[in-house]
Amino acid sequence: MFARRIVVVGTGYVGLTTGACLASLGHRVVCSDVNATKIEQLNSGEVGIHEPGLAELVQEGIAAGRLKFAVGSADAVAEAEVVFLCVPTPMGSGGAADLAAVESVVREVREVLPRGCVLVTKSTVPVGTAARLSELVGRPDVAAVSNPEFLREGSAVRDFLNPDRIVVGSDTQDAAERVAALYARLGAPTVLTDAASAEMVKYAANCFLATKLSYVNAIAELCERLGADIADVTEGMGYDRRIGQSFLQPGPGWGGSCLPKDTAALLQVAEAVSFDFPMLRATISANSHQRMRMVAKVREACGGSLDGVRLGVLGLTFKAGTDDLRDSPALEVARLLAEEGADLIAYDPGLRGDEPGLPASLTLVDDPYLAAKESAALVVLTEWQEFRALDWGRVAGVLTGPVVVDTRNHLDPDVLRRAGLSWRGVGRTPVPAM
């Protein structure tokens, strides 16, 4: 494999992981960002993103001389063979993806891109973006390529280095092949296609996963009404190779930085071509319903009213293993509980307490037992592994109400029962205390 000179624009979650992993594959990588303080920290090997293995990979790349960090994009791309755009594409007006940051970078670098350079969108972008960027660059010698990422927070490094597939799309075959060659050492199945199809793959995959999650949450609710057990039902489903065992865990709804944004964006894309997508609308609606359903569970466990009720909350991030609060279903359920008058004392091992987005109505503590102390119920909203290892006898001793509402089915009901606590999960029969 030939080592390439690569520039990654943006040092967020996707950009930093992309840059560090490409450097580990032997390429020479410069990651650029407009935040000078962040660049200074990264050049010192300091990584502020909570992602297993990423800090080590960054430090190894720096030590090997294959990974550098620079302020600004124009100077960084001067000798690049491939430029990856990894800047934010947040949800904009009406749910459409906001491409302002992407287009701003392209305008900044288009005159200084080396001849024959390939411009790659790694960020999730609407179908047609590669064509739009080609027009914006206005240079026939610079090809636009779509190379969507499929990284899961909490396992991004592992996902990058052990991918299910590599998807590369361009209307210029040679450019697509050059980008695909960057990953040759990984030996992953590679899909070479046109740019529009590659852009569509990311939305189609994420929206399918959102639909799968909404479906299993609906089945869990049905199990509660019929007396079936969702754990056994999903086990039976998961052995079917056509279905698989992933994304069959019921919970308080799906969230994070990708699924809410991508489902909304695909709806916008569909509407732009006069295509009605009732299935996707139902998926989104079912997700909103699920969060309200978790609130109803907690309300019922507390006797029918949450006004003035002190609740202990375990977990606020959208999933375990990350500090990400973006579109967190756990945080949304907490907000809804507070709106009904509950006094929330929360603990999350991934949070420091200064993260933006934490509501003022919530008190964050640094000990799970403090969250439980004098609470009428304990509500598990994120599936952190350490919650399973708590001293549940000690928890029972500090709660004023002996009930745990487990919205992730994360805990062992028998362990709680023996500790003198009743357990209420999702899609399963409640287990009373001994």
Side-chain angles (χ1 to χ4, degrees), residues 120-422:
V120 184
T121 52
K122 198 71 172 172
S123 306
T124 303
V125 294
V127 177
T129 298
R132 161 67 180 149
L133 296 187
S134 290
E135 293 177 359
L136 197 59
V137 172
R139 290 176 51 183
D141 63 301
V142 175
V145 173
S146 173
N147 174 217
E149 53 85 15
F150 301 98
L151 307 179
R152 298 168 298 169
E153 292 192 42
S155 60
V157 172
R158 183 169 70 250
D159 290 345
F160 192 103
L161 297 177
N162 302 276
D164 295 326
R165 75 291 202 196
I166 304 294
V167 177
V168 183
S170 178
D171 297 335
T172 305
Q173 182 72 12
D174 175 67
E177 291 175 352
R178 286 169 61 191
V179 173
L182 300 176
Y183 304 96
R185 284 181 55 186
L186 300 179
T190 301
V191 177
L192 288 177
T193 183
D194 58 273
S197 296
E199 291 163 344
M200 188 64 178
V201 167
K202 179 60 182 289
Y203 283 108
N206 275 0
C207 291
F208 178 83
L209 295 176
T211 300
K212 191 174 182 181
L213 286 169
S214 285
Y215 176 79
V216 79
N217 281 333
I219 291 295
E221 183 173 0
L222 191 57
C223 283
E224 292 176 12
R225 300 191 184 194
L226 298 176
D229 190 311
I230 188 63
D232 293 339
V233 171
T234 54
E235 181 182 9
M237 292 171 61
Y239 284 118
D240 188 325
R241 290 189 297 272
R242 297 169 301 174
I243 297 173
Q245 298 183 357
S246 64
F247 284 76
L248 286 181
Q249 294 73 40
W254 41 266
S257 61
C258 292
L259 298 190
K261 176 170 68 72
D262 292 351
T263 50
L266 189 56
L267 274 183
Q268 285 290 310
V269 169
E271 289 176 357
V273 293
S274 302
F275 176 74
D276 189 23
F277 209 153
M279 181 183 297
L280 189 53
R281 292 186 189 280
T283 292
I284 297 169
S285 177
N287 196 50
S288 298
H289 166 73
Q290 189 68 5
R291 298 175 184 190
M292 296 300 299
R293 202 168 85 81
M294 297 303 103
V295 174
K297 278 183 173 291
V298 178
R299 187 192 309 118
E300 180 185 1
C302 293
S305 174
L306 293 173
D307 191 23
V309 174
R310 181 185 175 104
L311 294 175
V313 174
L314 295 182
L316 293 169
T317 54
F318 93 94
K319 65 181 287 188
T322 178
D323 58 358
D324 199 342
L325 292 170
R326 288 176 292 177
D327 277 299
S328 167
L331 190 60
E332 180 60 21
V333 170
R335 286 196 181 102
L336 293 170
L337 291 170
E339 286 180 6
E340 294 206 10
D343 179 21
L344 304 182
I345 312 297
Y347 167 75
D348 190 301
L351 300 180
R352 301 177 304 274
D354 58 352
E355 290 83 3
L358 287 173
S361 56
L362 179 149
T363 300
L364 191 69
V365 295
D366 60 3
D367 187 311
Y369 301 103
L370 288 178
K373 186 177 181 181
E374 299 180 356
S375 293
L378 193 61
V379 185
V380 179
L381 293 175
T382 309
E383 71 286 13
W384 287 95
Q385 192 61 32
E386 72 174 65
F387 296 160
R388 295 180 61 90
L390 292 177
D391 182 341
W392 287 100
R394 180 181 173 187
V395 172
V398 297
L399 282 169
T400 60
V403 60
V404 175
V405 180
D406 183 0
T407 70
R408 299 278 186 172
N409 289 350
H410 181 56
L411 307 176
D412 186 333
D414 289 335
V415 170
L416 271 64
R417 180 177 62 86
R418 290 193 295 269
L421 295 166
S422 65

Side-chain angles (χ1 to χ4, degrees), residues 50-74:
H50 185 94
E51 185 62 46
L54 183 56
E56 293 81 358
L57 214 56
V58 168
Q59 292 158 9
E60 290 170 8
I62 294 172
R66 293 191 301 267
L67 181 61
K68 298 179 180 179
F69 299 92
V71 179
S73 304

